[in-house]
Amino acid sequence: MPHAIRVHNYGGPEEMRWESVEVPAPGPGEVTLRHKAVGLNYIDVYHRTGLYPQPSLPFTLGTEGAGEVTAVGEGVNGLSVGDRVAYAGPIGSYSEERSIPADRVVKLPAEIDFQTAAAMMLQGMTVRYLLRKTYEVGPETVMLFHAAAGGVGLIACQWASALGATIIGTVGSAEKGALARAHGCTHVINYREEDFVERVREITGGALCDVVYDSVGKDTYPASLDCLKPRGLWVSFGNASGKVPPVDIGMLAAKGSLFLTRPSLAAYIATRAELEETATDLFNMVTTGKVKININQTYPLSEAAQAHRDLEARKTTGSTIFLVD
Ligand code: NDP
């Protein structure tokens, strides 16, 4: 029987159990996949702890994977057994095999291998919508991007650099700073040692930023807002340090008629057309070499709990994947 990492109770990594699971034949509109590689994302931590609760327990963790189609359900067009596919979205990817709605997977170009796909679908499509849809980044853009050496961060540095933007990135160590800089980050701030608001003021000569991308959450709130120009955009898209407290909207007026959005990938790839457009743009960035996917940590899927410990301890950089035999 195939195995999966299941959560029976919300909590720490010790709640992640490697169990055998039954994979039913694909239902109408579904395909069954044999995973070759699975992605680790910070959202997996929110699912494990219950910060983002699931409809029921137990459940299989994980929202990103790449593999081969092994069975095709009724009514599925355009996918066949043996196709190489990947996805970001439906929970349940920490598994050797799974069934999934066929309209949520995309076929992989020949140049993109399974490991790269598993490392980039969720983080890369996120960067695509953040830089191309939530705010249209271009050569005039001055942005602050927190956690610039992380999975989303390193892709964002490269993509924003390709768009010609000025990128100020925050990082938790000197090594992470060097990594962010090597991937296109224009200015680096170690926010464990420096006051990032002060540094943003210095770097921009007091002009501040057009947009702040904040996935750190609790620890960078509300200081992130002080890095924005009047009418600037605060994009709060994650909570690695904890949930952002309720925001007093009057503060947006007081700090210069700021805009706030709290986006999630699901809303930007909700239709099949949006998913295909987003994935195709990402594939183009990767196959043309404008964005390199850094797989800096790999673990066997059965050892996913250790990967969660390392991610939460801020030990990882770039993307992390699980290898599936
Ligand atoms: P990362 O690889 O970026 O890991 C998180 C990083 O956050 C750490 O490496 C660390 O970098 C930084 N960090 C700051 N404070 C803390 C803390 N207290 N605990 C842990 N980490 C901290 O993860 P991902 O690339 O997977 O995701 C990045 C963020 O983007 C997450 O918040 C995630 O939820 C969000 N996200 C949101 C999406 C959306 O659509 N809304 C989609 C995808 C991701 P450092 O040491 O340099 O500070």
Side-chain angles (χ1 to χ4, degrees):
M1 280 237 282
H3 282 69
I5 296 279
R6 310 256 293 159
V7 168
H8 291 253
N9 301 295
Y10 296 125
E14 70 284 355
E15 296 296 344
M16 296 162 65
R17 296 196 207 159
W18 180 238
E19 297 177 338
S20 58
V21 286
E22 276 202 40
V23 179
E30 288 187 339
V31 289
T32 301
L33 306 183
R34 168 92 198 154
H35 283 134
K36 300 286 188 182
V38 166
L40 171 70
N41 291 285
Y42 221 94
I43 194 170
D44 306 340
V45 172
Y46 312 146
H47 288 149
R48 192 203 71 217
T49 59
L51 180 67
Y52 296 175
Q54 291 308 299
S56 62
L57 291 159
F59 65 95
T60 299
L61 274 170
T63 53
E64 180 180 44
E68 261 173 26
V69 175
T70 55
V72 177
E74 219 182 284
V76 172
N77 295 315
L79 284 175
S80 316
V81 170
D83 280 349
R84 303 167 65 253
V85 298
Y87 65 90
I91 198 160
S93 68
Y94 283 19
S95 51
E96 292 173 322
E97 287 177 33
R98 75 171 299 181
S99 292
I100 184 169
D103 66 357
R104 291 290 93 194
V105 306
V106 291
K107 282 194 202 173
L108 286 174
E111 306 94 305
I112 295 183
D113 58 49
F114 289 122
Q115 298 190 10
T116 304
M120 77 178 193
M121 289 303 288
L122 198 144
Q123 294 167 349
M125 290 201 292
T126 297
V127 169
R128 199 269 180 181
Y129 87 71
L130 289 174
L131 304 185
R132 304 286 316 280
K133 297 284 177 183
T134 306
Y135 187 90
E136 251 188 85
V137 170
E140 306 300 317
T141 307
V142 178
M143 68 164 75
L144 176 64
F145 205 104
H146 287 305
V152 172
L154 284 188
I155 298 173
C157 288
Q158 296 173 81
W159 201 317
S161 166
L163 294 170
T166 300
I167 311 150
I168 306 171
T170 59
V171 293
S173 71
E175 295 73 24
K176 289 182 179 186
L179 196 58
R181 211 175 260 115
H183 287 81
C185 195
T186 328
H187 306 276
V188 165
I189 303 171
N190 181 342
Y191 53 5
R192 285 182 148 180
E193 291 179 353
E194 302 173 286
D195 177 335
F196 71 84
V197 178
E198 279 309 308
R199 288 287 292 122
V200 166
R201 265 199 207 108
E202 277 170 30
I203 290 166
T204 61
L208 305 178
C209 301
D210 302 290
V211 55
V212 173
Y213 291 104
D214 190 341
S215 67
V216 171
K218 187 166 150 270
D219 287 357
T220 44
Y221 173 83
S224 281
L225 298 173
D226 294 325
C227 298
L228 284 167
K229 291 176 182 170
R231 303 196 304 276
L233 175 65
W234 176 40
V235 183
S236 174
F237 72 102
N239 349 253
S241 67
K243 205 172 161 176
V244 177
V247 175
D248 170 6
I249 60 168
M251 188 167 61
L252 300 177
K255 290 186 184 288
S257 293
L258 302 180
F259 291 85
L260 154 63
T261 182
R262 199 333 181 167
S264 74
L265 174 63
Y268 284 86
I269 56 168
T271 67
R272 181 70 199 171
E274 287 166 340
L275 172 61
E276 283 180 6
E277 182 193 314
T278 308
T280 302
D281 203 6
L282 172 63
F283 293 159
N284 286 339
M285 291 302 284
V286 172
T287 55
T288 56
K290 289 182 185 147
V291 168
K292 179 178 174 289
I293 304 301
N294 292 272
I295 303 174
N296 291 354
Q297 299 76 216
T298 57
Y299 303 79
L301 182 57
S302 56
E303 289 171 25
Q306 187 55 45
H308 276 224
R309 287 187 192 99
D310 294 344
L311 181 66
E312 290 179 274
R314 302 167 76 163
K315 287 185 183 163
T316 66
T317 59
S319 304
T320 301
I321 58 167
F322 302 118
L323 302 177
V324 186
D325 289 335

